[in-house]
C-alpha cells in the first residue's frame, strides 16, 4: 500500500479547539479506522475504548482497557482487551495474554530498537508539525516508524499519555481529538438522551455567543476572545404558504468589527414530524448516541452523534452534538428550535435562555470600539433613505456606496467628510425593495490612513 496520508491534517485539528487544558483532549474514546490508497482515504470501521481498571504487571502499573470495533455501534461489535502504560518514559501495550504489542521509549530522540505490532525492529523518529527553529515539547506529536517501512508507525503525544495514531501498513487507527468528540464520548458513557419536542411561549429567547478558543503555549490552558453574539426571540405563530410557521426576531453584534446587526424576522416551518430552519430539517424524536459509517453518493462517511450538558454563566443546558467527515461541528438544542454550527477555533455557547418565561444565565452586551474605524449601525429609515452610524479615529474624507447584494447593481452613493468620533450620515437612494439585502461599503482617506469597511442590511420597507 502506498500511504501518503497527510499527518498534519490528520492530527492537528486538535490544536484548534478543546477543553480547558490540552490534557483533556485525550478524553475522547472514539477512534476511526481507515485505509489510504492512491491519495484516497476510505473508512473501514469505528472503534471505542473503555477503560476498565489499573493493574500491576511485573511491578509496573498498567491500565486495562477494552476496544470495540464496529461499523454501526448499535449492531455487531468485536471486542478485545489490552493493557497500557506510560511508566518510566516507555510506552508499552500488552494484549490479553500479556504479550507485548508495542514497546518504545518516547524520550529517545534518535534511532532505537523497539517493538511495534509484536515485532522487534529498528525505529526512527519524526517530530510532527515543528519547524527547525521550534524546540519540540511534550505536546509535540512524535511519529515512530520502521526504518525499512515508513508505513508501519505509531504516533504518540507524551503529555496526553495517548497513542493517537497507529498504522500496521495496511490500515491506520486514529483517535478523534476535540471538544465535540469528548462530548459524544461523554454521552456514550452516561447513556444520555434528549427529545427535540421543545415547549416555548411568546417572548422566550436565547443568546448564542461565539468565541475564539486557543491554548497558551506556556500554561497549556485554554484562552478565549469574544467574537459575536446572536439573540433569538420567539414572536408568535403565523401562516406562510399555508404552512404553520413560527416567527422569530434575530439581532446580533460583532465584537471584532464593532458592527450591530439590526433586528430581522425569520421563520421556522413547523410540521407534525419536525421543523425546518432554512433547509435543515430537525425531526421530533428522542436523540441518543449514534456511531456509524454510512454509505453516501460520494462514498463512505462518518455519522457520530451524542448528547451532553454544558454550563455557561450559571446556565446549564442540554445539547445534541453531531459530527461527520467535514470540518464542521453541528449542534441541536432540545429546548429551542435553533440549530447552530462551529468551525475551526470558533466555539458556540448558550449564554442566556428564557424558556416558558424562566430566565437563566446572563446576556452578553455589545461594546463600542474606539481604537479603530468601524461601522456602528446601518438602518433603512424609509423607502429611499439609509442611515449609517460610523466611528472614525481621525477626521476623514469618505465615500458611501450602496449596492444590491444579489445583483451588485449600484443603488446609492454619497461623498462627504467625517469628523473624529461618532458620525451619522443619511444617504438618499433609489427605492428599496422589501426583504432585499443591500451591501454598504465605506471608503475613507485621512491624513494618517486610508481603507474601507462594509456590512449589509435588509430592507423592511
Amino acid at each position: 500500500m502506498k500511504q501518503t496520508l497527510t499527518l498534519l491534517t490528520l492530527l492537528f485539528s486538535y490544536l484548534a479547539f478543546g477543553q480547558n487544558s490540552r490534557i483533556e483532549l485525550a478524553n475522547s474514546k472514539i477512534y476511526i479506522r481507515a485505509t489510504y490508497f492512491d491519495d484516497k482515504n476510505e473508512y473501514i470501521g469505528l472503534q471505542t475504548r473503555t477503560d476498565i481498571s489499573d493493574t500491576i504487571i511485573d511491578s509496573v502499573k498498567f491500565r486495562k482497557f477494552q476496544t470495540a470495533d464496529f461499523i454501526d455501534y448499535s449492531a455487531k461489535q468485536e471486542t478485545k482487551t489490552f493493557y497500557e502504560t506510560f511508566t518510566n518514559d516507555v510506552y508499552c501495550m500488552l494484549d490479553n495474554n500479556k504479550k507485548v504489542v508495542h514497546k518504545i521509549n518516547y524520550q529517545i530522540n534518535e534511532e532505537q530498537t523497539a517493538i511495534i505490532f509484536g515485532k522487534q525492529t529498528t525505529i526512527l523518529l519524526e517530530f510532527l508539525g515543528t519547524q527547525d527553529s521550534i524546540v519540540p515539547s511534550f505536546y509535540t506529536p512524535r511519529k515512530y516508524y520502521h526504518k525499512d517501512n515508513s508505513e508501519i508507525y505509531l504516533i504518540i503525544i507524551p503529555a496526553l499519555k495517548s497513542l493517537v495514531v497507529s498504522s500496521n501498513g495496511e490500515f491506520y487507527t486514529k483517535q478523534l481529538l476535540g471538544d465535540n468528540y469528548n462530548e459524544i464520548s461523554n454521552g456514550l458513557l452516561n447513556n444520555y438522551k434528549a427529545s427535540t419536542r421543545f415547549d416555548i411561549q411568546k417572548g422566550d429567547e436565547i443568546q448564542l455567543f461565539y468565541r475564539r478558543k486557543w491554548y497558551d503555549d506556556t500554561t497549556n490552558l485554554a484562552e478565549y476572545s469574544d467574537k459575536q453574539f446572536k439573540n433569538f426571540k420567539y414572536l408568535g405563530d403565523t401562516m406562510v404558504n399555508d404552512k404553520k410557521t413560527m416567527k422569530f426576531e434575530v439581532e446580533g453584534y460583532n465584537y471584532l468589527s464593532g458592527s450591530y446587526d439590526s433586528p430581522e424576522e425569520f421563520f421556522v416551518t413547523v410540521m407534525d414530524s419536525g421543523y425546518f430552519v432554512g433547509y435543515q430539517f430537525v425531526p421530533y424524536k428522542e436523540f441518543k448516541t449514534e456511531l456509524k459509517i454510512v454509505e453516501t453518493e460520494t462514498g463512505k462517511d462518518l455519522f457520530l452523534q451524542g448528547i451532553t450538558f454544558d454550563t455557561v454563566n450559571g446556565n446549564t443546558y442540554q445539547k445534541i452534538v453531531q459530527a461527520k467527515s467535514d470540518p464542521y461541528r453541528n449542534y441541536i438544542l432540545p429546548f429551542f428550535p435553533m440549530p447552530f454550527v462551529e468551525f475551526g477555533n470558533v466555539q458556540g455557547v448558550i449564554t442566556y435562555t428564557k424558556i416558558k418565561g424562566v430566565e437563566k444565565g446572563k446576556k452578553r452586551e455589545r461594546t463600542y470600539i474606539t481604537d479603530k474605524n468601524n461601522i456602528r449601525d446601518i438602518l433603512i429609515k424609509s423607502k429611499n433613505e439609509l442611515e449609517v452610524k460610523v466611528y472614525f479615529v481621525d477626521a476623514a474624507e469618505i465615500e458611501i456606496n450602496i449596492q444590491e447584494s444579489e445583483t451588485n447593481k449600484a443603488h446609492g452613493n454619497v461623498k462627504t467628510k467625517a469628523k473624529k468620533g461618532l458620525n451619522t450620515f443619511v444617504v438618499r437612494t433609489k427605492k428599496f425593495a422589501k426583504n432585499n439585502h443591500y451591501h454598504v461599503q465605506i471608503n475613507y482617506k485621512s491624513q494618517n490612513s486610508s481603507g474601507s469597511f462594509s456590512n449589509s442590511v435588509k430592507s423592511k420597507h
Side-chain angles (χ1 to χ4, degrees):
M1 177 184 68
K2 182 181 179 182
Q3 189 180 67
T4 56
L5 187 63
T6 305
L7 293 172
L8 299 185
T9 302
L10 183 73
L11 284 174
F12 292 153
S13 60
Y14 86 88
L15 294 175
F17 53 93
Q19 299 288 326
N20 293 323
S21 166
R22 278 196 177 108
I23 293 176
E24 293 179 331
L25 288 164
N27 288 348
S28 171
K29 304 302 180 184
I30 303 171
Y31 297 73
I32 185 67
R33 306 174 78 221
T35 60
Y36 198 80
F37 290 98
D38 298 326
D39 297 330
K40 183 179 180 181
N41 197 52
E42 182 174 353
Y43 300 122
I44 61 174
L46 286 162
Q47 183 181 96
T48 57
R49 168 175 168 150
T50 302
D51 292 333
I52 299 173
S53 62
D54 290 335
T55 186
I56 302 298
I57 301 174
D58 294 334
S59 302
V60 176
K61 186 169 75 171
F62 281 77
R63 171 62 54 88
K64 182 179 181 180
F65 67 96
Q66 185 179 76
T67 61
D69 296 328
F70 52 88
I71 301 297
D72 186 334
Y73 185 78
S74 64
K76 182 180 179 181
Q77 299 182 12
E78 180 183 350
T79 61
K80 295 179 181 179
T81 300
F82 297 93
Y83 301 84
E84 183 182 64
T85 186
F86 284 82
T87 303
N88 298 325
D89 300 327
V90 172
Y91 174 73
C92 182
M93 179 189 286
L94 310 177
D95 65 15
N96 190 43
N97 296 317
K98 311 296 194 316
K99 291 184 178 180
V100 177
V101 180
H102 308 306
K103 188 173 184 180
I104 193 163
N105 189 318
Y106 55 82
Q107 282 288 60
I108 295 178
N109 296 342
E110 54 193 26
E111 184 178 302
Q112 65 173 292
T113 299
I115 299 175
I116 295 184
F117 294 101
K119 293 183 179 181
Q120 183 170 295
T121 187
T122 302
I123 299 298
L124 301 179
L125 167 65
E126 178 184 357
F127 289 101
L128 300 180
T130 60
Q131 302 173 358
D132 293 339
S133 60
I134 300 177
V135 178
S137 75
F138 232 37
Y139 286 94
T140 303
R142 304 169 186 219
K143 178 185 176 183
Y144 298 94
Y145 58 95
H146 273 223
K147 185 176 183 179
D148 299 326
N149 187 350
S150 62
E151 296 177 5
I152 301 176
Y153 60 84
L154 308 178
I155 297 178
I156 295 171
I157 302 180
L160 301 185
K161 295 190 180 300
S162 185
L163 171 64
V164 293
V165 186
S166 62
S167 171
N168 64 5
E170 296 181 2
F171 66 87
Y172 68 87
T173 302
K174 178 185 68 139
Q175 185 179 16
L176 299 178
L177 301 172
D179 262 4
N180 51 342
Y181 304 120
N182 284 358
E183 291 168 338
I184 294 171
S185 297
N186 186 45
L188 174 65
L189 178 65
N190 293 283
N191 195 29
Y192 289 139
K193 298 178 181 180
S195 171
T196 47
R197 287 192 174 275
F198 59 87
D199 183 15
I200 61 176
Q201 64 186 26
K202 185 177 179 179
D204 283 353
E205 60 182 313
I206 66 168
Q207 181 179 78
L208 171 60
F209 178 76
Y210 282 106
R211 60 192 183 188
R212 297 187 186 277
K213 189 173 186 178
W214 70 96
Y215 290 111
D216 182 276
D217 289 334
T218 301
T219 65
N220 287 304
L221 298 178
E223 300 285 343
Y224 301 91
S225 64
D226 299 344
K227 186 177 185 293
Q228 68 179 122
F229 66 72
K230 293 281 187 179
N231 295 328
F232 300 93
K233 179 183 287 187
Y234 175 45
L235 301 180
D237 295 335
T238 185
M239 298 293 292
V240 177
N241 297 327
D242 297 324
K243 294 181 180 179
K244 181 181 177 181
T245 303
M246 304 178 73
K247 183 166 65 173
F248 292 82
E249 179 185 79
V250 57
E251 64 172 354
Y253 174 70
N254 190 308
Y255 287 93
L256 304 180
S257 67
S259 180
Y260 170 70
D261 295 328
S262 300
E264 292 185 10
E265 292 181 351
F266 76 96
F267 302 92
V268 173
T269 303
V270 179
M271 305 173 66
D272 291 339
S273 57
Y275 60 89
F276 278 96
V277 179
Y279 292 104
Q280 181 176 356
F281 178 71
V282 178
Y284 293 137
K285 70 172 189 177
E286 184 177 68
F287 283 73
K288 60 182 180 180
T289 299
E290 292 187 43
L291 309 173
K292 56 188 175 183
I293 295 176
V294 295
E295 295 285 349
T296 69
E297 294 180 356
T298 57
K300 295 179 180 179
D301 197 2
L302 296 181
F303 181 78
L304 310 177
Q305 176 179 280
I307 292 84
T308 190
F309 290 84
D310 201 359
T311 300
V312 180
N313 290 338
N315 176 33
T316 298
Y317 61 95
Q318 200 174 30
K319 59 184 179 180
I320 299 162
V321 189
Q322 294 180 336
K324 300 181 180 180
S325 301
D326 58 41
Y328 301 99
R329 307 185 292 278
N330 303 288
Y331 296 87
I332 298 170
L333 300 175
F335 54 88
F336 202 87
M338 188 47 55
F340 65 96
V341 176
E342 295 177 350
F343 178 77
N345 71 336
V346 176
Q347 180 189 60
V349 295
I350 306 301
T351 50
Y352 168 85
T353 63
K354 182 181 179 183
I355 305 297
K356 302 292 285 186
V358 178
E359 296 181 272
K360 295 182 180 179
K362 183 179 180 181
K363 271 188 180 181
R364 294 297 304 265
E365 303 293 340
R366 72 177 294 183
T367 57
Y368 294 94
I369 297 174
T370 58
D371 60 349
K372 64 179 180 180
N373 303 329
N374 63 95
I375 297 175
R376 291 284 177 85
D377 198 6
I378 301 174
L379 177 66
I380 295 178
K381 295 179 65 68
S382 66
K383 292 182 178 180
N384 59 356
E385 280 188 333
L386 180 139
E387 181 182 88
V388 180
K389 292 184 178 180
V390 60
Y391 184 91
F392 281 97
V393 295
D394 294 303
E397 296 180 354
I398 69 168
E399 181 178 10
I400 303 174
N401 293 304
I402 305 169
Q403 293 179 315
E404 295 180 14
S405 293
E406 290 189 6
T407 64
N408 290 326
K409 289 183 179 179
H411 196 81
N413 171 274
V414 67
K415 293 182 179 180
T416 184
K417 294 183 178 181
K419 64 182 180 180
K420 179 179 180 179
L422 184 62
N423 297 261
T424 301
F425 302 103
V426 176
V427 184
R428 292 190 61 83
T429 70
K430 300 176 184 178
K431 184 178 178 180
F432 290 106
K434 189 174 181 180
N435 294 326
N436 274 16
H437 285 85
Y438 295 86
H439 181 77
V440 180
Q441 178 166 313
I442 301 175
N443 303 315
Y444 65 90
K445 184 177 181 180
S446 66
Q447 185 175 354
N448 299 317
S449 64
S450 63
S452 65
F453 41 85
S454 62
N455 206 343
S456 61
V457 64
K458 183 179 179 180
S459 174
K460 299 178 182 179
H461 297 279

